[in-house]
Amino acid sequence: MSRALLEVNNLKTYYAIDKGGLFKKETRYVKAVDGVSFRIREGEVFGLVGESGCGKSTTGRSILRLTDPTDGEVLFQGKNLVTLPEKEMQRVRRDLQIIFQDPFASLNPKMTIGQILEEPMIVHGIKEKAERKKRLGELLEAVGLHPSHANRYAHEFSGGQRQRVGIARALVLRPKLIIADEPVSALDVSVQAQVINLMQSLQQQYKLTYLFIAHDLSVVRHICNRIGVMYLGRIVEQGDCEKLYENPKHPYTQALLSAVPVPDPNWQRERIILHGDVPSPINPPVGCAFHPRCPYAMDICKTERPEFREVENGHQVACHLM
Ligand code: SF4
């Protein structure tokens, strides 16, 4: 687990919300992703967490070019996906797959599960029908379904089973990296653990690397090796999962973690309540974007953006307190 499979450098994804024109001087942008950098090593699970609207899903979609990045670099096996011609990008997508949050919305209701799983194989040139059928049966069994389920439609399954189909579809081309975009947040709590356990065992079986996007920190702890915490389009803390859970450094990470239930009733974290809403990404606060909500904000936080600093081996934080 040493070579970087994916390297994201200073990725930016901005959406223009109105154009500058005759009477307007400048175009305004929603800065959904504003300078995100991280690396994922082969065989690793990297978690990207933060509140809704922090830019974590847009980061995942920008990596796959499902939305166009504005700037930055996404190096996958040495190729910069941001500038890759579309035709070559289609070939790379075979190695890069996504699991969507809402399994029902992402499965075509008019197609059987077999047709849904065969479609990417046909698009990517697996011509032999027997080979497709064989792979289909193997995959359905691998995700805990029966090969006969191939003849059914998505509405005939429960939410957990549909997400198993979503996982099978992501695996069908034997990818190297899977971007799992909130893969369990639409599921009942009782089913979430089953799907996480399944993803963990498939990771071993198929030697997968995951980018695991979630808003719930208690979910990512069980599956991730490292975590990046995002706030308003930027990563504010990143490091080894256990270290970050046991000793979070950034005040925002501390607040997020204080809301996670602890299994030991004799040891509870003090809950940190964040006041105010997440500021608008159209007009983010100057300096540290977290300063209007931070209980430790100082004068410098209102004017200077904190640099990302290494506070211990492999643990980086963007905060003037460090
Ligand atoms: Fe809080 Fe300042 Fe650190 Fe931002 S830089 S998290 S405002 S202490």
Side-chain angles (χ1 to χ4, degrees), residues 250-251 288 290-291 294 296-298 301 306 319-321:
H250 195 284
C288 171
F290 186 57
H291 85 251
C294 180
Y296 310 107
M298 306 167 283
C301 307
C319 174
H320 288 303
L321 290 171

Side-chain angles (χ1 to χ4, degrees), residues 14 16 33 60 67 112 125 131-132 146 173 212 226 234:
Y14 297 172
V33 179
T67 187
T112 64
E131 162 69 13
R132 295 201 302 266
H146 192 271
L173 295 170
F212 197 102
R226 285 188 310 123
R234 294 171 165 266

